[in-house]
Amino acid sequence: MKLIQITDTHLVGPGLRLYGLDPRARLDAAVADINHHHADAELVIVTGDLTHWGEVDAYRNFRAAMRPLRIPYAVLVGNHDRRGPCLDVLAAAPRDAHGFVQGWRDTPAGRLVFLDTLDETSHGGQLCDRRLAWLRQTLAETPADRPLYLFMHHPPFAVGVDMMDRIALADSAALIAVIKPARARVRHLFFGHVHRPIAGSWLGIPFSTLRGTNHQVCFDLAPGAPHLTTHEPPAYAVVLIGETEVVVHTHDYLDDSPRFPFSKPDLDDRTYMLGPFPALGRPGK
Ligand SMILES: [Fe+2]
């Protein structure tokens, strides 16, 4: 099964730019690329910071950009979002009984669980008692043989980029306590927020995140490093899920560097091909 992750689209009003870039044009390009190459995906998940200022116009702009998408999508909220306008404008936003942007979706590969870590008073993340209770119940009610995949905006741990770690999820200990009973069934954690390509594991759960579709966060691991944005290339992730593996590709969809065969380098005349490539099984099948 194939999933697509997009994150941190940071849309503003139509025609407006952000940090010298056009967020709508960049999301349009991602949607076109996904339609062209990955129309067989089960779902696209946009892991928060859909808009930059949380304005109704920006959510309408986001909705318009996503309209041509040939596969269904779901959205999460991030620290730059506002719940009210998001829920008013986007039918793709899940909603729990308390009005948080939370929900789950069953797929052939298992249950996808979408969490709302937005604290509308801060850029840091929060999971209050009501949201954690919803997660506890959702995990408890998921059939024991069904794998779980978690999606959230804020990482529940430090990634080593100082200014982002200051606005990570607060009180991750409470989340850990809720997840622990189901930890063995959680096959992957996907998040956004940090605008960087990062992979690893947390509590033994593999995780990944990726660059946003507009601006990025400067890679600087020095303590107290300034909070700088960059124009590193945007990406989306293609997730291939099989019986035994979860494979996460990140694709720089605006890359236009040259493509050429491995077998015919221009610079020397040595033979690079050692023989025919053996047939391989495909991940996600
Ligand atoms: Fe963001």
Side-chain angles (χ1 to χ4, degrees), residues 13-31:
L16 299 178
R17 297 174 75 83
L18 181 67
Y19 303 129
L21 301 168
D22 181 341
R24 170 65 193 269
R26 291 182 150 224
L27 180 54
D28 286 344
V31 167

Side-chain angles (χ1 to χ4, degrees), residues 96-254:
D96 72 10
H98 296 291
F100 293 109
V101 185
Q102 302 201 125
W104 54 265
R105 182 183 177 110
D106 276 337
T107 70
R111 180 164 293 184
L112 317 183
V113 178
F114 310 125
L115 296 176
D116 175 340
T117 56
L118 170 59
D119 172 357
E120 290 191 332
T121 69
S122 161
H123 280 300
Q126 179 190 59
L127 281 169
C128 58
D129 290 346
R130 287 185 295 177
R131 281 173 275 182
L132 287 169
W134 177 90
L135 177 60
R136 189 180 298 110
Q137 183 176 355
T138 297
L139 297 178
E141 290 175 354
T142 303
D145 61 348
R146 197 162 300 168
L148 293 155
Y149 307 83
L150 297 183
F151 294 81
M152 57 200 292
H153 181 71
H154 294 80
F157 50 85
V159 298
V161 178
D162 199 11
M163 292 303 286
M164 299 309 295
D165 290 343
R166 297 182 195 199
I167 54 170
L169 183 75
D171 194 15
S172 58
L175 174 63
I176 291 171
V178 171
I179 286 180
K180 262 194 172 167
R183 187 175 65 175
R185 288 195 286 143
V186 181
R187 294 189 74 192
H188 203 88
L189 165 66
F190 300 88
F191 59 84
H193 191 50
V194 293
H195 296 238
R196 301 257 9 121
I198 308 172
S201 68
W202 170 69
L203 309 175
I205 300 169
F207 74 79
S208 60
T209 184
L210 69 157
R211 294 191 297 270
T213 56
N214 195 62
H215 55 286
Q216 316 306 341
V217 168
C218 184
F219 181 60
D220 190 340
L221 299 181
H227 192 34
L228 301 176
T229 189
T230 80
H231 286 188
E232 290 165 84
Y236 63 77
V238 181
V239 184
L240 304 175
I241 301 176
E243 282 286 320
T244 58
E245 74 286 342
V246 177
V247 178
V248 182
H249 297 267
T250 55
H251 176 47
D252 297 347
Y253 60 92
L254 292 186

